[in-house]
Amino acid sequence: MTMRSFGLIRQCCNALVRVPLAREKSPVSLPISHLSRSLTTAAEALKITYDEKSEVATMHLCRKPVNGLSLEFITQISIALEKLENERSCRGVIISSGCDNVFCAGLDINEMLRPTPERLEIFWKTLQDMWLQLFTTRLMTVAAITGHCIAGGCLISSACDHRVMAPNFKIGLNEVKLGIVAPFWLVDSVKNLIGYRQTEWSLMKGHLFSSEDALRLGLVDKVVPQDQVVLQAEADMAEWLQVPDSARHLSKTLMRRDTVVRFRSGREADLKTFVNYIPKESIQKTLHSYVESLKSKK
Ligand SMILES: CCCCCCCCCCC/C=C/C(=O)SCCNC(=O)CCNC(=O)[C@H](O)C(C)(C)COP(=O)(O)OP(=O)(O)OC[C@H]1O[C@@H](n2cnc3c(N)ncnc32)[C@H](O)[C@@H]1OP(=O)(O)O
């Protein structure tokens, strides 16, 4: 197998001062987070490899301990996606995790605790951009879900085209448990997979589905033993890439158009809601208690 790492991407991901993202906004300077805490450095958090033979890249999320989506991390993911999208030979990307038993625990909650208004706004815009990129990319996207996949984690997996998950983990939208509400575009992408009623019920309860229930409902496409998830994702990717790229991408565009149109017309209002709602004292209290409960379960 011929593997090479994307020098350009690594280079880009290592230096995160000015961010950029091509789509729908001009570059901005990032206030450096004093809150966001991770056991990995920015350089270690995202590893990209590319297999020239299969024309498939792997995006390995390694922001320990739980791949919490901080502003810097989603910016890295977004830059990497854009680079891969522009790499003509690349046809697909597998998103996998380097965190034990966790695919992604969602947004880094620290981003929402006592945030500065400036950072909060950039954070949400960047998340919106990253989601749109992933949801609409020409690349075939497969999520290799080797562990829990919660809220913002489900945002990533549900934006992909295909999902392989390990047994005995949890997946879904639990935002209400934190006193917040998932944005409509994330809800739509889950609803596209499991239908209205299951989405409404799980959203209102903050219910996380087991891998097995997720398979039954269509929230994931396969459940295989944890040590086979990535291999299965690679095999499924190879099968998917037998379909001509442009026809596959046009079909995806056709199926996702309503969600994208709704997103584009609602994203400004969605941003306003987020930046107004998160700093409220009542929300801050609930978020704080949630973080405390995570810490005290040990
Ligand atoms: C009118 C409406 C307006 C709405 C406007 C608001 C819209 C907001 C929409 C937001 C959409 C998305 C939201 C999110 O994604 S919020 C995050 C939700 N995620 C979770 O609830 C997951 C929480 N984590 C867990 O359940 C467990 O950690 C997990 C099962 C994933 C792993 O368990 P494990 O036992 O292996 O590990 P620990 O629990 O010990 O965790 C290790 C350390 O990591 C910290 N941690 C965990 N998750 C997060 C996180 N999401 N962000 C930050 N930090 C996290 C945990 O506290 C441990 O830290 P310490 O080692 O310091 O104790």
Side-chain angles (χ1 to χ4, degrees), residues 9 53 101 154 162 286 288:
I9 291 168
K53 191 157 166 255
N101 298 325
C154 195
H162 182 78
T286 320
H288 185 76

Side-chain angles (χ1 to χ4, degrees), residues 11 135-136 165 184 222 258 269 278:
Q11 221 179 314
F135 194 68
T136 58
M165 189 171 181
F184 69 89
K222 272 186 192 165
D258 290 353
I278 292 298

Side-chain angles (χ1 to χ4, degrees), residues 158-172:
S158 63
C160 288
D161 303 324
H162 182 78
R163 289 149 285 273
V164 180
M165 189 171 181
N168 305 316
F169 290 111
K170 297 285 184 192
I171 180 168

Side-chain angles (χ1 to χ4, degrees), residues 256-284:
R256 298 185 180 190
R257 188 170 47 206
D258 290 353
T259 302
V260 171
V261 166
R262 218 160 93 81
F263 169 78
R264 287 189 195 281
S265 63
R267 66 176 295 171
E268 275 306 318
D270 176 61
L271 172 66
K272 274 197 189 126
T273 306
F274 181 75
V275 296
N276 289 334
Y277 190 81
I278 292 298
K280 286 191 187 303
E281 204 42 51
S282 56
I283 299 300
Q284 288 297 313

Side-chain angles (χ1 to χ4, degrees), residues 34-273:
H34 55 283
L35 287 170
S36 192
R37 200 179 63 81
S38 169
L39 301 180
T40 30
T41 64
E44 293 166 331
L46 190 64
K47 296 189 181 111
I48 312 290
T49 53
Y50 181 62
D51 177 8
E52 284 172 347
K53 191 157 166 255
S54 63
E55 301 172 305
V56 172
T58 297
M59 187 181 288
H60 203 52
L61 311 181
C62 306
R63 185 171 184 262
K64 292 187 176 170
V66 292
N67 279 327
L69 299 171
S70 66
L71 174 55
E72 286 78 9
F73 194 37
I74 52 181
T75 302
Q76 283 181 288
I77 296 172
S78 200
I79 292 172
L81 274 174
E82 188 169 339
K83 294 277 176 196
L84 292 173
E85 178 104 27
N86 293 333
E87 180 80 24
R88 289 185 64 179
S89 67
C90 181
R91 298 176 63 208
V93 57
I94 294 172
I95 303 183
S96 65
S97 166
C99 295
D100 288 347
N101 298 325
V102 180
F103 175 73
C104 172
L107 303 190
D108 185 331
I109 299 167
N110 297 303
E111 291 287 358
M112 296 184 281
L113 285 175
R114 308 265 167 238
T116 65
E118 189 196 13
R119 187 174 169 101
L120 197 62
E121 181 172 341
I122 297 172
F123 174 67
W124 197 249
K125 275 188 185 163
T126 309
L127 186 74
Q128 287 179 327
D129 281 332
M130 187 207 74
W131 173 81
L132 185 63
Q133 271 178 295
L134 193 57
F135 194 68
T136 58
T137 178
R138 69 166 181 83
L139 302 167
M140 174 69 203
T141 49
V142 176
I145 310 170
T146 44
H148 299 295
C149 181
I150 301 176
C154 195
L155 178 154
I156 293 178
S157 67
S158 63
C160 288
D161 303 324
H162 182 78
R163 289 149 285 273
V164 180
M165 189 171 181
N168 305 316
F169 290 111
K170 297 285 184 192
I171 180 168
L173 304 180
N174 70 338
E175 280 84 347
V176 293
K177 297 262 168 76
L178 290 79
I180 55 180
V181 181
F184 69 89
W185 38 276
L186 168 55
V187 173
D188 276 4
S189 52
V190 168
K191 191 169 69 186
N192 292 345
L193 298 176
I194 66 173
Y196 190 97
R197 179 56 188 153
Q198 288 296 338
T199 306
E200 180 183 60
W201 175 84
S202 59
L203 193 69
M204 288 173 66
K205 278 196 126 179
H207 178 80
L208 295 172
F209 296 105
S210 65
S211 313
E212 296 69 23
D213 283 347
L215 178 64
R216 190 173 48 78
L217 293 169
L219 191 54
V220 298
D221 300 293
K222 272 186 192 165
V223 173
V224 301
Q226 193 182 31
D227 61 357
Q228 289 166 36
V229 168
V230 172
L231 285 174
Q232 187 67 55
E234 286 168 356
D236 290 355
M237 174 67 88
E239 194 184 321
W240 272 101
L241 291 184
Q242 286 171 22
V243 179
D245 290 350
S246 57
R248 177 187 43 72
H249 182 230
L250 278 171
S251 305
K252 162 166 152 176
T253 305
L254 180 78
M255 290 303 292
R256 298 185 180 190
R257 188 170 47 206
D258 290 353
T259 302
V260 171
V261 166
R262 218 160 93 81
F263 169 78
R264 287 189 195 281
S265 63
R267 66 176 295 171
E268 275 306 318
D270 176 61
L271 172 66
K272 274 197 189 126
T273 306

